[in-house]
Amino acid sequence: MIQEEKEPIISLRGIVKSYGSAEATTYALRGVDLDIKQGEFVAIMGPSGSGKSTVMNIIGGLDTFNSGEYNFGGVDIGSLSLDQKTLLRRNYIGFIFQGFNLLGKTTAIENVELPLLYRGFSAHDRSEMAMNALRSVGLEKVSHHTPGQLSGGQQQRVAIARAIVTDPFILLADEPTGNLDTVKGKEIMELLSSFNKEKGLTIVMVTHEDEMAAYASRIIRFRDGKIDNSVHTKIVQ
Amino acid sequence: MIQNAFFLALREIRRSAMRSMLTTLGIVIGIASVIAMVMLGDATTAYITQSISKLGTNMLMVIPGQERKGVPSSSLMAKKFTHNDIEAIKKEVANIRGAAPVGSTMIRAVYGNQNYSTTIEGTDNDYFIVKDWVFASGRNFSEIELRSGKAVCVIGESVKKELYKDQDPIGTSLRLENFSCEVIGLLESKGAAMFGMDQDDVIIAPIRMFQRRISGNQDISRIMLSASSAEVIESAKASTIALLQERRRIGLTQEDDFFVHDMREMVQTLSSTTKMLTILLGAVAAISLLVGGIGIMNIMLVSVTERTREIGIRLAIGALEREVLLQFLIEAVVLSSLGGIIGIALGIGVGVGTTIYFDLPLIFNTSIIFIAFLFSTCVGIIFGYFPAQKAARLNPIDALRHE
Ligand SMILES: Nc1ncnc2c1ncn2[C@@H]1O[C@H](COP(=O)(O)OP(=O)(O)O)[C@@H](O)[C@H]1O
Ligand SMILES: [Mg+2]
């Protein structure tokens, strides 16, 4: 896929997110401006509590924000209802959670099929597509195991398969390697990197490991709920 | 969408076998107990009503004294009846099939080495007419036996069973206290025991024998009448009252010193009592329905945390609120109606079983079945659906973080 200079697919302007009442307000985000273009592989880094997960959840439409503007592919997200945001996720976004958030007692393939089910694919198409996704993360052999029967790395890969099975425009991954050792982590990164290179999948990933961030084409650093511009963000390739 | 929701709901029910089972169980117990209890209550009511009508619903019972709040209060002091009263009633009251004098007391009967305490009733042949009682074998009293007060007697089935077992009692000599009497007849079983009162547990003897050998006086403590049909009970009752007022010289301003029981009134009183029993059983059952409902509620609420996270996951990967809710609604409806159907089957099974075991009439109260079903199903749906509704309206991230 030829990379062109385009309008950013994601555009955040002055996003503020706070918790608590007037007296005891804690700010998770204190005015975040962020643009992400199609085909980019962006790594978000920063200390714990700096607002990385919060910004990912807002980008994914899973969470609301107090002020600012969020534009996704020309749509003003702040004005959408819960169901409209759901449709946006259903059709355009794959999300990999910091915890895996798989359905318990539900087999790997059933977990991966779930987004397809809500998209209205037939049972036959669902199992074929889910199997392909599982194959691409190397889990075809354990497709009928439940999360309890899978290792952490395998569960993470089920979560990845579930996020990419719908062939989304953008993949949001919150610490996808956080629970894995370096070897397993790098395997996952190779996988994500290949999706980015081969399919042109736009990826936004949170990580606190430099080794993992090195796979990204751009690194953004968060500090105290803001993007830290004092640190030069190296652009890989 | 509905198809998918069904698919997901059924899969979730199968997957959470324990939760599904407990929910269903709550509903099953609630419904089954209500149905079984009410069926039993209704059966008892019907049975008692039937038993009373076997006593003879066209029957009037005249007792001395006045009835106050269901208890004959002054019957011991009031003047008893005489043979002339009976004669007068037979002659002057129209529309009656018979009028029998009755005196009764407890007595010990001995035959061979068996002895048995029972009731002896002194009366005449009208007794059998009034009570619609047929002889199994033997005969009723002859004119001579009645007039002379001969020591003969007719026995009921229970007395025969106790004293004679399989032996034929006719012609045998039965010992009563300090004299013997010849058994001349055996009555067919009325088969109805009511409040422990067994109608077959009786020895019947001529009234004059009873007066001479047992009570020792000429008093007649009761008169039993039978109207020729249900329609003429009122007029028979009225003429009896008028006649006795005249014979006992009751002035216009005086209170009667006798009372005429109408068995229909007794049926009504008793069946209203047994209806109370049904209500009571129903109330007990309603409590178990409630307990079952609380059980369902508990299971549903306990699973809310787990399920809220599940809802969060579903919302996060693209399920609309209504899709999640439809799934939960179907789950609740399927479990509740499954429980309902099993509960109805079990309730009817237990109800019919007990009813047959106690030899009671079968009564199906469809409205109770319907109400119990509706209640439990509502509980199941409400507590399965509303927590889900609350969760499905959250930001997905809040549902995912739910503790
Ligand atoms: N539900 C919440 N209630 C209150 N404070 C929260 C909540 N979620 C996050 N925060 C706060 O917001 C800040 C940013 O959190 P987060 O985005 O999870 O950080 P990161 O992912 O970078 O570690 C933290 O200080 C955290 O304590
Ligand atoms: Mg985080």
Side-chain angles (χ1 to χ4, degrees), chain A residues 118-131:
Chain A
Y118 291 121
R119 275 190 166 200
F121 285 97
S122 72
H124 175 263
D125 288 353
R126 284 204 303 267
S127 67
E128 198 171 286
M129 291 164 79
M131 210 54 210

Side-chain angles (χ1 to χ4, degrees), chain A residues 8 62 87 93 127 184 217 220:
Chain A
L62 298 172
L87 288 174
I93 300 174
S127 67
K184 292 264 169 55
S217 55
I220 295 166

Side-chain angles (χ1 to χ4, degrees), chain B residues 280-357:
Chain B
L280 199 75
L281 286 175
V284 170
I287 290 169
S288 57
L289 194 64
L290 201 68
V291 170
I294 290 169
I296 299 164
M297 206 168 88
N298 240 331
I299 294 155
M300 294 291 191
L301 291 179
V302 164
S303 67
V304 156
T305 304
E306 183 194 331
R307 304 226 75 183
T308 301
R309 271 180 46 79
E310 178 197 329
I311 289 169
I313 293 172
R314 291 182 187 281
L315 294 171
I317 62 173
L320 295 172
E321 183 185 326
R322 61 172 179 276
E323 288 170 325
V324 171
L325 289 182
L326 192 61
Q327 176 199 330
F328 274 72
L329 186 66
I330 292 170
E331 272 183 49
V333 170
V334 168
L335 285 181
S336 304
S337 22
L338 190 75
I341 289 162
I342 298 173
I344 289 175
L346 188 71
I348 291 179
V350 170
V352 169
T354 341
T355 310
I356 289 174
Y357 179 79

Side-chain angles (χ1 to χ4, degrees), chain A residues 41 136 160 177 182-198 203 205 211-212 215:
Chain A
F41 185 169
S136 71
I160 293 170
T177 60
T182 312
V183 179
K184 292 264 169 55
K186 283 191 167 171
E187 277 174 35
I188 300 282
M189 292 317 299
E190 291 290 344
L191 197 64
L192 293 183
S193 183
S194 73
F195 290 143
N196 175 248
K197 292 207 177 83
E198 286 156 28
I203 300 177
M205 174 186 76
E211 282 163 293
M212 308 304 162
Y215 286 85

